Amino acid sequence: MSAFNLSAFSAAIADVAAAAAPVTASFTTHHHRTASAFHWRDGYFVTAEEAVEAGEEIELTLASGETVKAELVGRDPSTGVALLKPAGAVSAAPLAKADAVRPGNLAIAIGSSQGSALAVSGSVGEVGPAWRSMRGGTIDRRINLAVNAGSRFEGGPVLDAKGALIGMLLFGPRGRALVIPYETIERAVETLREKGHVARGYLGAGLHPIRDGAARGAMVMSLDDNGPAKAAGLALGDIIVAWNGEAVHGPRELIRKLGPDSAGAAVRLGVVRGGEQRDVAVTIGEKPLS
């Protein structure tokens, strides 16, 4: 590639970043670090759920440098999305939805820090099917990035080469940069605007990983007095090994199944008690708001 083409390419990336800067904002998290947020539409901003706490006062620093108080409308731990409503009107136009991306496509992560614009470019490293988060949320597509972005970018938008929105930047295990895709954000925002939270399944049991002979599963270590597990007859020491006939090898797998779509569902749990396996019918509850 010639020096002229490199210069044009560099300028094009900078132009995409500059066009997106007005929709971004930053705030100081409860961990005393900076995170990003961006305007979704109708004056609402989205950011990373883990960066906010219920009841805390949030001050957004907009791209103009102006600082405004923002209300936490709701948060969804299952998808990692939090919804904010700043005081006053927001004039920035929302970002357009990106077309489907492929591995190797250009990806530009945008952030903000006290009114200063942040941008870093890289590529889409992996695109895969829908997956379940550790907290049971359905993420519509698996999109991992080959982007070297610091923590100030968390909660900021990820754009394609046209400046359209692929999704929101989060960090997964070992600090891997991943994207919560547009469709997932859209679904979470709709529910958060309506209800202020996204329902999560609730079993009402404290669990511990266990391997007892050939049985691997989640041992019941405690039971909530008014929880679904106790009401269904689960007992301390029971080992949950299956969910509707599908093997469960530990608490993490079980928690993944307790997503928003599980609340109210009738489930057959395979349980080992005293060395004998039995089925226990449980109606999954809705996790109480904390």
Side-chain angles (χ1 to χ4, degrees):
M1 186 178 289
S2 70
F4 173 79
N5 287 339
L6 282 173
S7 177
F9 177 68
S10 176
I13 293 175
D15 287 345
V16 167
V23 309
T24 62
S26 65
F27 62 99
T28 302
T29 75
H30 54 282
H31 298 304
H32 305 292
R33 60 180 179 81
T34 298
S36 294
F38 64 98
H39 182 224
W40 179 251
R41 64 173 73 104
D42 302 329
Y44 289 87
F45 278 66
V46 295
T47 189
E49 180 275 334
E50 66 175 24
V52 297
E53 283 286 347
E56 72 174 340
E57 186 174 274
I58 300 170
E59 289 192 344
L60 285 180
T61 301
L62 305 177
S64 63
E66 177 188 4
T67 299
V68 297
K69 293 189 182 301
E71 172 196 358
L72 175 60
V73 177
R75 50 203 289 250
D76 177 17
S78 71
T79 60
V81 176
L83 186 64
L84 307 176
K85 186 70 167 72
V90 176
S91 58
L95 295 163
K97 179 182 177 181
D99 295 329
V101 294
R102 298 179 296 164
N105 279 158
L106 183 70
I108 305 167
I110 305 295
S112 181
S113 179
Q114 305 304 313
S116 295
L118 307 174
V120 63
S121 63
S123 65
V124 175
E126 177 187 5
V127 177
W131 56 285
R132 284 273 194 180
S133 73
M134 291 294 295
R135 295 189 177 183
T138 299
I139 313 300
D140 291 76
R141 289 175 292 157
R142 181 180 296 279
I143 305 174
N144 293 335
L145 301 180
V147 171
N148 185 19
S151 62
R152 293 184 297 172
F153 287 86
E154 185 172 34
V158 178
L159 311 178
D160 66 8
K162 298 177 182 178
L165 181 65
I166 300 171
M168 180 177 70
L169 180 69
L170 291 185
F171 294 103
R174 296 179 295 279
R176 184 180 68 239
L178 56 87
V179 175
I180 301 302
Y182 187 102
E183 309 93 297
T184 306
I185 300 171
E186 188 170 49
R187 190 175 67 251
V189 165
E190 182 178 352
T191 303
L192 292 173
R193 286 185 65 171
E194 179 184 349
K195 299 181 178 179
H197 72 284
V198 173
R200 293 174 61 196
Y202 167 62
L203 186 59
L207 305 169
H208 186 77
I210 192 71
R211 183 165 189 167
D212 182 19
R216 292 179 58 197
M219 177 176 280
V220 177
M221 304 298 291
S222 63
L223 289 164
D224 295 350
D225 287 338
N226 299 314
K230 188 168 185 177
L234 283 174
L236 299 181
D238 284 351
I239 303 172
I240 301 172
V241 295
W243 172 293
N244 284 340
E246 183 179 344
V248 169
H249 297 114
R252 287 188 176 185
E253 289 187 15
L254 190 58
I255 290 169
R256 281 196 181 106
K257 293 182 180 298
L258 292 171
D261 54 352
S262 71
V267 173
R268 179 170 48 86
L269 296 180
V271 174
V272 175
R273 179 183 296 171
E276 297 183 358
Q277 186 161 340
R278 64 185 69 193
D279 287 339
V280 176
V282 180
T283 298
I284 302 301
E286 181 175 329
K287 187 174 179 64
L289 295 177
S290 55

